Amino acid sequence: MDKKSDFEMIIIGCGIAGASLAYFLAERGITDILILEREEQPGYHSTGRSAAVLVEFDLVPSTLQLKLLGGQFLRNPPTDFSETPLLQRSGILIMLQGALWKQARQMIPSLRQSGAIVEILNQEETVSMIPVLSPANFDGAVLLPEDGHIDVNELLWSYLRHAKRRGTQLRCEEEVREIKTDQGRCRGVITSRGEYGSRWVINAAGAWAGKIRGLAGPSPVQLTPHRRTIITFAAPEGMSVSKWPLVTDLSHDLYFAPESAGLMASPMDEDPVEPCDARPDELVVAQTIERLKELTPRLVPESISHKWAGLRTFAPDQAMVVGEDPVLKGFFWLSGQGGAGIETSAAVGQIAAELILDGRTKLIDAQVISPARFAV
Ligand SMILES: Cc1cc2nc3c(=O)[nH]c(=O)nc-3n(C[C@H](O)[C@H](O)[C@H](O)COP(=O)(O)OP(=O)(O)OC[C@H]3O[C@@H](n4cnc5c(N)ncnc54)[C@H](O)[C@@H]3O)c2cc1C
């Protein structure tokens, strides 16, 4: 048995955040990494429950910037990174009404300047693309034809495969229970199975990131997990939906998209909850059907095939939380990815690796995502 108990880096959590950081650290030659994951397998929580799309549109400027950077990697990953393509350019259609439509149109020039391919559709063009929509519910739509479905499993396991090949160790079913500190510095962790020392401890614990920091004293960052629900169901008889983009109605909180042989939908619920193994709430499932009835009655299913819920974890200002803790040196936050942790993972993983190894990055203004912004 491997008795090694000191590592250069310990990453807590093996979702997409922890896996992407291990990959980018390994690319920079750091191979003495231990990833600790409490569950039986990587990606069990938020990473395994997402809608799996790249949407290069966001009202939070730093998140939009990270999506654009992450999108470049998904379209053109390094040679031999993955065994199959990471992105299926199935498209994203965003319907908007009133003030939101106005705001979205104002964003288009800068979106295009950043390199995003964006088309504006009027009501007629939108309905001819997705005939179940009613013009009464939206003023116009934004189409992102180069965005679409991400193969999350392939992305997660490609990060891990390369990191492991270079020496990263992954230990599942091992829970971090204590953070070791000494004179204001983080020195390692104590787990359900042992004790490890390390120069850096990285908090990639998703919905539990706030709790993890709490093990070492009051947290300077307040993170809140929000539950989001998805249902899947058969498409109406005779209706061909497999080539539809993901359709999201930002003014009425509903999205739907092709999924396996049928469709999936979400009422874009955002109920704040304690970190947990999220389960769908029956009222929210019923609300999804109600919203389909109001907005796209032809899609209302006779029965639901599957349903699940996952957690999207946000800081109060909705921007991500990436950087060294302002109080506890050697403790690094890689959290607060909200609803964009998959599509931004390549950008955020690279930025985190640069901040850890170089203390700076040219990819983004690191102050905007630093946990230090919350320090009193
Ligand atoms: C319904 C839904 C739809 C979404 N759609 C999209 C989308 O289309 N595109 C997109 O980019 N993002 C989407 N997201 C968001 C995305 O899923 C998350 O931002 C991302 O998965 C967060 O990754 P993570 O690695 O931080 O968290 P997680 O995947 O939750 O990983 C954290 C890990 O830490 C582990 N952990 C926690 N505490 C401990 C401990 N004490 N010891 C050891 N391990 C621990 C957990 O077991 C977990 O595996 C969606 C989320 C949901 C819920």
Side-chain angles (χ1 to χ4, degrees):
M1 195 185 138
D2 188 354
K3 293 267 194 245
K4 185 168 157 57
S5 62
D6 280 302
F7 292 84
E8 197 162 358
M9 316 264 172
I10 288 178
I11 300 176
I12 307 173
C14 196
I16 203 79
S20 63
L21 176 61
Y23 168 76
F24 283 102
L25 286 172
E27 286 294 293
R28 291 282 308 267
I30 306 297
T31 54
D32 190 21
I33 304 172
L34 172 65
I35 312 179
L36 293 165
E37 169 53 53
R38 184 186 48 207
E39 305 294 345
E40 264 178 38
Q41 71 207 43
Y44 174 80
H45 287 286
S46 301
T47 297
R49 306 174 191 206
S50 84
V53 283
L54 165 68
V55 184
E56 288 165 304
F57 183 89
D58 208 289
L59 299 177
V60 179
S62 59
T63 304
L64 174 59
Q65 200 182 341
L66 294 167
K67 287 182 174 188
L68 291 162
L69 282 169
Q72 289 172 15
F73 183 97
L74 292 171
R75 289 191 190 95
N76 294 304
T79 318
D80 297 336
F81 174 77
S82 60
E83 286 166 3
T84 50
L86 298 171
L87 181 71
Q88 189 193 332
R89 297 176 202 203
S90 41
I92 303 289
L93 185 71
I94 305 167
M95 298 151 58
L96 301 128
Q97 202 168 35
L100 270 179
W101 175 230
K102 206 172 154 203
Q103 194 181 349
R105 280 164 61 118
Q106 282 164 356
M107 285 171 68
I108 303 297
S110 68
L111 258 177
R112 286 188 174 139
Q113 232 171 22
S114 327
I117 310 290
V118 190
E119 290 171 26
I120 295 200
L121 304 189
N122 63 27
Q123 291 171 318
E124 256 176 33
E125 290 164 328
T126 310
V127 174
S128 76
M129 216 175 147
I130 310 291
V132 295
L133 298 176
S134 157
N137 295 323
F138 66 102
D139 293 332
V142 172
L143 176 68
L144 306 169
E146 294 294 311
D147 289 7
H149 182 79
I150 303 168
D151 187 337
V152 179
N153 199 49
E154 184 62 24
L155 180 62
L156 175 71
W157 283 99
S158 298
Y159 285 139
L160 285 174
R161 190 168 54 246
H162 291 287
K164 284 167 87 173
R165 185 168 49 80
R166 294 206 159 102
T168 294
Q169 291 191 32
L170 165 64
R171 297 194 189 154
C172 291
E173 294 185 272
E174 183 156 358
E175 181 181 46
V176 171
R177 294 189 172 159
E178 285 178 47
I179 302 288
K180 295 202 292 180
T181 62
D182 179 25
Q183 297 178 353
R185 206 181 158 87
C186 185
R187 302 283 177 194
V189 299
I190 299 177
T191 72
S192 46
R193 295 202 188 167
E195 187 167 340
Y196 306 97
S198 71
R199 203 153 67 81
W200 284 95
V201 170
I202 294 108
N203 183 7
W208 289 267
K211 299 252 180 237
I212 288 289
R213 177 57 178 84
L215 296 173
S219 173
V221 182
Q222 303 308 317
L223 290 172
T224 310
H226 294 260
R227 191 186 52 223
R228 176 148 293 184
T229 309
I230 293 184
I231 63 169
T232 66
F233 49 93
E237 188 99 16
M239 194 182 284
S240 165
V241 301
S242 62
K243 298 243 160 47
W244 282 3
L246 177 135
V247 180
T248 177
D249 183 339
L250 286 192
S251 302
H252 300 95
D253 290 343
L254 175 75
Y255 65 68
F256 58 88
E259 155 84 18
S260 306
L263 285 163
M264 66 136 161
S266 170
M268 299 170 73
D269 45 324
E270 303 203 303
D271 299 317
V273 292
E274 281 294 304
C276 61
D277 190 350
R279 303 281 174 217
D281 179 305
E282 284 312 318
L283 279 176
V284 178
V285 171
Q287 194 186 22
T288 318
I289 303 293
E290 279 310 307
R291 220 158 279 172
L292 284 168
K293 252 187 215 161
E294 282 163 30
L295 300 169
T296 57
R298 286 166 70 192
L299 294 186
V300 175
E302 275 172 21
S303 62
I304 292 169
S305 319
H306 296 290
K307 54 189 171 188
W308 68 87
L311 302 179
R312 300 155 77 248
T313 299
F314 291 93
D317 61 5
Q318 311 260 311
M320 295 190 192
V321 182
V322 182
E324 188 175 22
D325 189 275
V327 181
L328 187 59
K329 297 297 149 201
F331 183 90
F332 192 95
W333 291 81
L334 184 56
S335 54
Q337 290 88 343
I342 312 287
E343 58 200 308
T344 58
S345 61
V348 177
Q350 190 180 347
I351 287 167
E354 289 178 0
L355 291 174
I356 291 170
L357 299 178
D358 310 326
R360 64 194 152 78
T361 179
K362 286 191 177 146
L363 293 172
I364 195 167
D365 174 3
Q367 299 301 321
V368 178
I369 52 172
S370 166
R373 70 189 190 272
F374 299 111
V376 180

